[in-house]
Amino acid sequence: MSRRILISIAAAALVACLAAPALAQPSPPNLEVRIATSPPPHVRHERIPPRPDRDSVWAKGYWHWEGSQWNWVGGRWARSEDRTHRWVAPRYKREGSAWRYEPPHWSHQQVVEGDEYRRWKEEHRR
């Protein structure tokens, strides 16, 4: 092969390697406060598998409000991109006859009030 072809192949391989991590990144989670019409069920007992590495933290299973029901999300080992970030467990707080739900997230991520929650809050402010 000529030197020119080898350089072109090497350049293409380098670009592909640099682009691969960007493609592998998961999309950001939906970090919106939601309002639930019922309290979350009791937490399920989970067996924690061995830690895969020293930088992983156990993210306990939790109840996630989706649409009009609670869905169980099993626990898992999670790893932050930055060792200074901490895992924040979900929060459930009674508001009148409903429940405010804040999904779990890393400490550097921002949880915002979703449209559904804002509408509910306005309707129940009176």
Side-chain angles (χ1 to χ4, degrees), residues 51-113:
R51 182 187 301 224
D53 58 68
R54 68 182 217 122
D55 293 328
S56 293
V57 295
W58 179 249
K60 293 189 327 185
Y62 62 96
W63 289 103
H64 177 73
W65 182 257
E66 190 67 45
S68 61
Q69 67 182 14
W70 291 106
N71 295 310
W72 179 254
V73 177
R76 63 185 172 83
W77 286 107
R79 185 186 225 194
S80 176
E81 296 171 6
D82 184 328
R83 294 181 76 182
T84 64
H85 300 156
R86 299 289 173 246
W87 183 250
V88 179
R91 296 180 181 136
Y92 311 94
K93 181 181 176 192
R94 188 177 191 116
E95 289 198 11
S97 62
W99 289 82
R100 175 187 167 104
Y101 163 64
E102 294 180 24
H105 57 280
W106 290 104
S107 58
H108 70 285
Q109 296 174 309
Q110 182 179 6
V111 177
V112 297
E113 291 184 352

Side-chain angles (χ1 to χ4, degrees), residues 3 7 13 21 23 25 27-28 33 35 72 76 91 93 96 105:
R3 183 172 181 198
I7 290 173
L23 296 174
Q25 297 297 319
S27 60
V33 172
I35 196 72
W72 179 254
R76 63 185 172 83
R91 296 180 181 136
K93 181 181 176 192
H105 57 280

